[in-house]
Amino acid sequence: MWSCEDLNYTNSGEEQYLCNEFHLILFIFSILYLIICFPVGLCYNVQLVLVNLYNKATMTMPDVYFVNMAIAGLIINTIAPVYLLGPAYTKWSLWSFGNEVYITLLILFNVSSLVIMYSTTLLSLDYYIECALPRTYMSSVYNTKHVCGFIWGGAILTSFSSLLFYICNHVSTKIIECSKMQNREAADAIMVLIGYVVPIIAVIYALVLILQIRKEATPLDQESGRLDPSIHRLLIATICTQFILWTPYYVTLLVNTFMNARVKSSNTFYMRTFQFTEGLSNFLAFSSSFVLPLIHRHINKNFSGKLQRLLKKLHCGNQGCAHEHTVVQQVMT
């Protein structure tokens, strides 16, 4: 969020009117997100995690990746209200660039975005492995859990480089070495390369391999150990959704990386238009935290049964339901 009050307009009131219109649109989107998307995303992400943790014995490889993405979605969903409440507009210094809290929240956002993108990427690659080499356990749940651990560790390590640039931007006057670095632009360039370019190349490669496998009619297609057919639809929907929602965010990072500093300070209309586009791209990125669990909930056929078992467990407790005891007694007699 941003304010029109800190801008000195040199032209007529058209720029002031346009700025106010931009701010009103972003404000409406933010309110809608906080009222609808935030509670829905929080509920469905928690539901996805709890249901799969309760049904550990029946978890599949895709379930592990979706739990991973749900945890990252919870982090993004928690950060969203802090950003969308508009600290810059309310003159709240918490969200000012260089502030320690701002840097911490930004790093958490970067780590979660990397986890989401690479979980989607590895899900597509593991799906291809499962299609090409079923029952080899190369894409087993056990291996996938370890892979997800490496995803989080790699995302944190990758964010350290961005963290260094942001910190150096904050203390560049105190440390000579930091003054030689390109600060925020370099950090954004790293995120675009590692967080978007590499995953999208890997996903395209995996999709090409999957299409080739599906075109070939082999005896392996009749294997009973293959993944559920709905997983393919879930994979395609997940890939399309993630890249549609995250592409504008990374495009704005790329534009901000190469934007001339002189243009930023001189062309107020261009700058305000870019800030409006940046705000919309951030809104779309935050939206991924509630769109993905909704897609998983409606496409995954096995999720409803797992949810019913969890609800029954919560309702009946450890003692079990009365009708279950009756059925057991009838079987014993």
Side-chain angles (χ1 to χ4, degrees):
M1 296 294 291
W2 41 275
S3 173
C4 299
E5 299 177 0
D6 57 346
L7 188 64
N8 294 323
Y9 294 96
T10 56
N11 299 328
S12 62
E14 294 181 358
E15 289 187 356
Q16 177 69 43
Y17 174 78
L18 183 62
C19 182
N20 291 331
E21 289 295 315
F22 284 166
H23 180 268
L24 178 61
I25 294 173
L26 290 179
F27 178 76
I28 293 174
F29 276 120
S30 300
I31 295 299
L32 291 176
Y33 183 94
L34 294 174
I35 295 176
I36 301 175
C37 304
F38 174 74
V40 171
L42 185 65
C43 176
Y44 276 86
N45 278 305
V46 171
Q47 184 184 95
L48 196 157
V49 174
L50 293 180
V51 167
N52 283 283
L53 291 181
Y54 175 74
N55 297 274
K56 286 183 179 180
T58 58
M59 283 184 67
T60 61
M61 174 268 295
D63 292 332
V64 179
Y65 282 118
F66 278 102
V67 169
N68 211 42
M69 287 186 277
I71 295 174
L74 283 173
I75 297 176
I76 292 179
N77 206 39
T78 305
I79 298 174
V82 181
Y83 176 82
L84 295 176
L85 284 175
Y89 173 70
T90 57
K91 307 302 181 184
W92 187 21
S93 60
L94 174 65
W95 200 249
S96 61
F97 182 76
N99 186 280
E100 288 78 6
V101 177
Y102 168 86
I103 294 175
T104 302
L105 294 177
L106 188 61
I107 295 302
L108 288 175
F109 179 82
N110 288 341
V111 170
S112 300
S113 65
L114 288 173
V115 169
I116 290 175
M117 297 300 286
Y118 277 94
S119 294
T120 304
T121 303
L122 294 177
L123 172 62
S124 60
L125 291 171
D126 276 352
Y127 181 83
Y128 162 72
I129 294 174
E130 183 68 20
C131 291
L133 302 171
R135 295 182 178 180
T136 59
Y137 303 102
M138 293 181 63
S139 58
S140 63
V141 174
Y142 176 79
N143 291 336
T144 304
K145 290 179 180 179
H146 289 283
V147 170
C148 289
F150 283 110
I151 290 176
W152 281 97
I156 294 173
L157 291 175
T158 303
S159 299
F160 278 161
S161 58
S162 300
L163 176 62
L164 179 60
F165 284 111
Y166 285 112
I167 292 178
C168 284
N169 185 68
H170 184 52
V171 297
S172 58
T173 58
K174 301 178 183 179
I175 302 178
I176 299 176
E177 290 78 6
C178 281
S179 62
K180 301 178 182 179
M181 307 183 75
Q182 296 181 3
N183 304 321
R184 184 176 182 179
E185 287 75 16
D188 291 342
I190 292 174
M191 286 300 301
V192 171
L193 176 62
I194 300 177
Y196 184 77
V197 176
V198 174
I200 197 172
I201 293 175
V203 166
I204 293 175
Y205 175 70
L207 289 178
V208 171
L209 295 177
I210 292 172
L211 289 176
Q212 291 178 352
I213 288 293
R214 291 178 67 87
K215 288 180 180 178
E216 299 174 358
T218 64
L220 294 177
D221 293 331
Q222 307 300 325
E223 291 271 359
S224 59
R226 304 290 292 273
L227 293 172
D228 188 272
S230 64
I231 298 299
H232 178 74
R233 298 193 301 272
L234 181 60
L235 172 65
I236 299 300
T238 301
I239 292 174
C240 294
T241 301
Q242 295 290 22
F243 283 98
I244 287 174
L245 295 178
W246 283 97
T247 295
Y249 171 76
Y250 284 105
V251 169
T252 56
L253 285 185
L254 186 64
V255 173
N256 186 63
T257 301
F258 294 102
M259 187 187 299
N260 194 321
R262 185 177 300 176
V263 174
K264 294 181 181 180
S265 58
S266 60
N267 194 332
T268 56
F269 174 79
Y270 177 82
M271 191 60 195
R272 282 309 181 187
T273 303
F274 174 76
Q275 287 180 341
F276 172 72
T277 306
E278 187 179 28
L280 286 180
S281 66
N282 289 334
F283 172 79
L284 290 176
F286 286 129
S287 299
S288 66
S289 63
F290 80 91
V291 174
L292 182 62
L294 287 176
I295 293 176
H296 179 271
R297 174 69 175 81
H298 289 88
I299 297 182
N300 193 342
K301 296 180 179 180
N302 300 324
F303 186 80
S304 298
K306 294 180 179 180
L307 178 60
Q308 291 177 1
R309 286 195 294 269
L310 175 61
L311 295 177
K312 185 182 296 184
K313 178 69 174 180
L314 294 176
H315 176 71
C316 301
N318 295 327
Q319 302 299 326
C321 296
H323 69 277
E324 292 180 353
H325 290 295
T326 304
V327 171
V328 172
Q329 290 176 359
Q330 290 176 355
V331 171
M332 293 180 63
T333 57

